[in-house]
Amino acid sequence: MRLRSLLFVPGDRPDRMEKALRAGADALILDLEDAVAPAAKPEARGHVAKFLQAYPEAPLWVRINPLDSQESLDDLTAIAAARPAGIVLPKAEGGASVRELAERLVAFNIVQAGILAIATETPAAMFQLGTYGGIDRLAGLTWGAEDLPAAIGASTSREEDGRFTPPYELARSLCLFGAAAAGVAPIETVYPAFRDLDGLAAYAARARRDGFTGMMAIHPAQVEVINAAFTPSDAEVAHARAVVAAFEADPGAGALSLEGKMIDRPHLVQAQRTLAASMA
């Protein structure tokens, strides 16, 4: 399952769903949580279920409401027959919450859906980021920079220049390492300034540099930039092939010289990942 770009679409805006489907995102996230006002949620569930049924082969995920709410049960009831590709779990608090959701999905006969957990939205969640291993349904971990500061009483998660303040850089880092430890995709959070495509490109490039394999989007215009950022370039692929070829030619070597630089086994692992990403 390729997840470079995941585009949010409000569940109460069926007109936007049709347009989003043509944006080129690897997945759409039909949102029944924050993007939908409480009074509009029943209607939104109907729109989402209808859209899922209309496009059964499309990569359509649904962000449900938090597990501790009646709303989440209403969400699952509404979409059960429509068979979404995946469920986005907000306010996840460790592997136990993902397992609980997985059990509910079985009960609702939503047996094929993956799970993407938003893993940093509560203070308690921060202490559970190493507990996501060994869960078959889990496809990835992502993080958010809005709910957590609200939960702890912070005025903002960002510096004046847009950079995250240290507590939220920590949340980002722990999400990245938690996903790697669990063997699932680490997904970068959204870039709110949707008209600033140059800023988005720099942000996405930093995310890929740091080890994230995809990113969420809030506007269709962001998708092309995100896809490009998380797709290896021709030069990267060529270099990766050269690294792999060098170790295939001398499989007993611990370190080799390539293009005037020393490479060792970590370089081989990175090269293999680059090639895998290029063929996804």
Side-chain angles (χ1 to χ4, degrees), residues 194-213:
F194 62 87
R195 289 189 175 88
D196 180 13
L197 298 184
D198 289 338
L200 170 64
Y203 182 87
R206 174 180 178 247
R208 182 174 173 229
R209 178 204 68 190
D210 289 348
F212 288 93
T213 59

Side-chain angles (χ1 to χ4, degrees), residues 120-204:
T120 67
E121 292 188 308
T122 71
M126 297 297 296
F127 298 95
Q128 300 295 326
L129 281 156
T131 67
Y132 286 96
I135 305 174
D136 291 339
R137 289 276 194 125
L138 188 63
L141 294 183
T142 189
W143 73 290
E146 308 303 329
D147 289 81
L148 185 59
I152 67 173
S155 59
T156 181
S157 61
R158 297 176 185 269
E159 305 282 7
E160 290 186 3
D161 63 3
R163 290 179 298 122
F164 292 112
T165 61
Y168 307 101
E169 284 288 1
L170 175 64
R172 177 180 184 270
S173 297
L174 289 176
C175 176
L176 175 62
F177 293 129
V184 299
I187 305 297
E188 178 66 284
T189 194
V190 300
Y191 186 78
F194 62 87
R195 289 189 175 88
D196 180 13
L197 298 184
D198 289 338
L200 170 64
Y203 182 87

Side-chain angles (χ1 to χ4, degrees), residues 11 23 30 56 116 178 201 211 216 233:
L30 309 178
L116 174 64
M216 297 185 294
S233 67

Side-chain angles (χ1 to χ4, degrees), residues 247-265:
F247 279 100
E248 287 178 345
D250 192 355
L256 294 167
S257 175
L258 179 68
E259 300 170 356
K261 297 180 180 179
M262 295 301 298
I263 58 173
D264 54 17
R265 292 288 163 175

Side-chain angles (χ1 to χ4, degrees), residues 230-256:
F230 289 97
T231 301
S233 67
D234 291 344
E236 289 174 308
V237 171
H239 177 72
R241 287 175 176 160
V243 171
V244 170
F247 279 100
E248 287 178 345
D250 192 355
L256 294 167

Side-chain angles (χ1 to χ4, degrees), residues 4-25:
R4 297 169 303 174
S5 54
L6 300 94
L7 175 60
F8 276 107
V9 188
D12 59 348
R13 295 297 303 270
D15 56 322
R16 294 187 184 180
M17 295 178 194
E18 292 284 351
K19 294 177 182 178
L21 200 58
R22 299 188 294 271

